Amino acid sequence: MKIPPKSEQQVDSARPLLEVRNLHMRFPIKRGLLRRTVGYVKAVNDVSFNIRPGETLSLVGESGCGKTTTGRCIVRVYSPTAGQILYQVEEEEGVDLAQFDNRELRPYRREIRMIFQDPFSSLNPRLPILQIVGEPLRANRIASGSDLEDRVAALLKRVGLRPEYIRRYPHAFSGGERQRIGIARALALNPRLIVADEAVSALDVSVQAQILNLLQDLQEEFKLTYLFIAHDLSVVEHISHRVAVMYVGKIVELANTEKLFTNPFHPYTEALLSAVPKPDPRLREKGVRIRLEGEVADPSNPPSGCYFHPRCRYAQERCHDEEPAVREIEKDHWVACHFAEELELRGFEAIGSTTGA
């Protein structure tokens, strides 16, 4: 059954569960015998967004644009260089996770979990599934012994695997089954927010659809909130309420999924939409695919002005010299482009699901 786009479903309109403000993450470049710092890679450069309870916000862009680094800052794999990560605790004031040390973060790491990209390297090949999925329960002293086995078996059953698999090792499973194990591990502590980092990019298209359907079912059942990181817009079309487009560490456009697909305001978004595969050859003939010249800008030495201007076919002199500010063009539709109101950009023609979901 085809699942309707998430933009058509209701989202809790309460205050954001997570609010990221002016997030920066820089990695030092060290050279020479004394390993002196000669520069910085600006992986995340002044990123701001929020996620409401029960919502799926997708973060998309080419490889190297800072999506994964943003997600790892939120779960505090990385300590941000600057900015705030405001997490709304139930019935309490929000807390800034960016300021906490590992001891202070421990209770919040139970509520914010991560699904990793590669289902083959994210599971320890030397441990059985019982230990892999049960590790968060043991580490937080929630379950042990037969109670732990029962909980792990129930989690495996919920993600579509047989409970008796708890004694098997990761090598006995396919890529899709391994990702289901990763999802079960993320669910073990009853989280409120899950960061899914390219959770389906390593899977076949038919398996992608199964995992996307599973994630949506789990969201409805457990009232989950997702930050869904991906590089393929065809994948996020049917799972997202809103989409944020990143380029070289910055968000260049953020909007409701339907609005962004039908009426993009940033040239980079238009180029990404043109790359979405269309299964009907007759539809491909109607438009010319936009092929971006060159490579993604170097985050350690980005161009002046708009970072996208060396590859933008609409670039003007102002784009070379002046960095565009993120502004609201329409209600809840934000874009960083000097000429957003003047450009007539093409959206993605709705032709049905491209992922089989």
Side-chain angles (χ1 to χ4, degrees):
M1 176 180 292
K2 177 181 178 294
I3 297 177
K6 297 292 288 185
S7 57
E8 297 176 9
Q9 301 179 18
Q10 292 184 349
V11 181
D12 189 345
S13 60
R15 54 185 174 178
L17 175 65
L18 183 81
E19 187 172 1
V20 176
R21 295 181 182 174
N22 308 115
L23 186 67
H24 293 258
M25 185 66 214
R26 299 182 180 182
F27 297 98
I29 302 172
K30 297 182 180 294
R31 291 177 183 165
L33 182 62
L34 300 178
R35 306 301 295 168
R36 291 177 176 171
T37 301
V38 297
Y40 292 90
V41 175
K42 301 175 183 178
V44 179
N45 193 1
D46 198 20
V47 163
S48 299
F49 60 84
N50 62 65
I51 311 176
R52 295 184 288 268
E55 178 182 39
T56 299
L57 174 68
S58 288
L59 202 56
V60 302
E62 294 172 282
S63 297
C65 71
K67 309 183 302 295
T68 294
T69 303
T70 300
R72 292 188 176 188
C73 285
I74 290 173
V75 298
R76 283 301 309 275
V77 173
Y78 298 143
S79 296
T81 305
Q84 295 178 299
I85 303 172
L86 302 177
Y87 176 68
Q88 184 62 48
V89 183
E90 290 184 349
E91 300 180 357
E92 297 180 19
E93 293 297 324
V95 295
D96 185 5
L97 302 181
Q99 305 300 320
F100 286 178
D101 58 26
N102 287 332
R103 181 182 60 82
E104 294 171 317
L105 282 170
R106 188 179 180 104
Y108 302 105
R109 282 180 167 149
R110 296 177 57 173
E111 300 185 11
I112 304 176
R113 307 295 292 171
M114 192 166 191
I115 301 171
F116 295 95
Q117 175 178 359
D118 187 355
F120 293 89
S121 63
S122 62
L123 304 180
N124 190 331
R126 298 182 179 180
L127 297 180
I129 303 309
L130 173 61
Q131 294 186 42
I132 291 174
V133 178
E135 183 178 7
L137 296 169
R138 288 197 310 272
N140 288 274
R141 301 179 181 179
I142 295 175
S144 61
S146 60
D147 184 31
L148 178 67
E149 292 189 18
D150 292 341
R151 285 175 178 257
V152 172
L155 285 167
L156 291 184
K157 184 177 181 180
R158 184 58 196 86
V159 298
L161 297 175
R162 298 176 66 176
E164 53 265 33
Y165 288 171
I166 61 174
R167 304 295 179 187
R168 295 188 180 183
Y169 288 80
H171 68 81
F173 297 92
S174 66
E177 290 173 330
R178 292 187 188 204
Q179 198 61 292
R180 290 175 186 269
I181 294 169
I183 294 172
R185 178 174 58 185
L187 289 174
L189 298 176
N190 296 319
R192 299 173 68 200
L193 172 66
I194 290 181
V195 178
D197 180 19
E198 300 275 11
V200 298
S201 64
L203 307 176
D204 292 339
V205 173
S206 60
V207 180
Q208 285 184 4
Q210 297 172 17
I211 298 300
L212 291 175
N213 285 328
L214 173 62
L215 290 173
Q216 288 193 329
D217 291 342
L218 294 173
Q219 183 176 44
E220 294 177 3
E221 181 177 348
F222 298 106
K223 310 301 180 185
L224 296 172
T225 302
Y226 291 141
L227 175 63
F228 191 85
I229 298 170
H231 65 270
D232 187 350
L233 279 170
S234 66
V235 170
V236 308
E237 180 184 4
H238 295 288
I239 196 173
S240 310
H241 294 95
R242 291 185 298 148
V243 178
V245 180
M246 284 192 73
Y247 186 75
V248 194
K250 292 180 175 290
I251 290 182
V252 296
E253 187 164 7
L254 192 156
N256 170 278
T257 303
E258 183 178 357
K259 288 184 178 179
L260 186 133
F261 270 75
T262 58
N263 187 27
F265 280 108
H266 198 283
Y268 181 58
T269 307
E270 181 191 38
L272 292 179
L273 289 172
S274 76
V276 175
K278 299 176 175 61
D280 190 338
R282 294 171 298 177
L283 293 171
R284 288 198 293 266
E285 294 172 358
K286 292 182 179 179
V288 178
R289 179 176 175 179
I290 300 172
R291 299 184 182 275
L292 296 177
E293 301 294 334
E295 300 293 333
V296 178
D298 182 358
S300 65
N301 185 29
S304 61
C306 175
Y307 287 1
F308 186 61
H309 85 257
R311 308 174 72 191
C312 181
R313 57 179 180 167
Y314 306 106
Q316 300 183 30
E317 190 64 30
R318 183 182 179 188
C319 304
H320 293 249
D321 304 325
E322 182 182 343
E323 182 179 344
V326 179
R327 63 190 192 281
E328 192 173 19
I329 300 295
E330 296 178 352
K331 181 175 174 54
D332 295 328
H333 195 150
W334 301 80
V335 66
C337 178
H338 293 303
F339 306 102
E341 296 91 342
E342 304 172 19
L343 300 177
E344 295 183 1
L345 305 181
R346 293 179 300 165
F348 176 72
E349 294 182 4
I351 58 175
S353 173
T354 57
T355 61

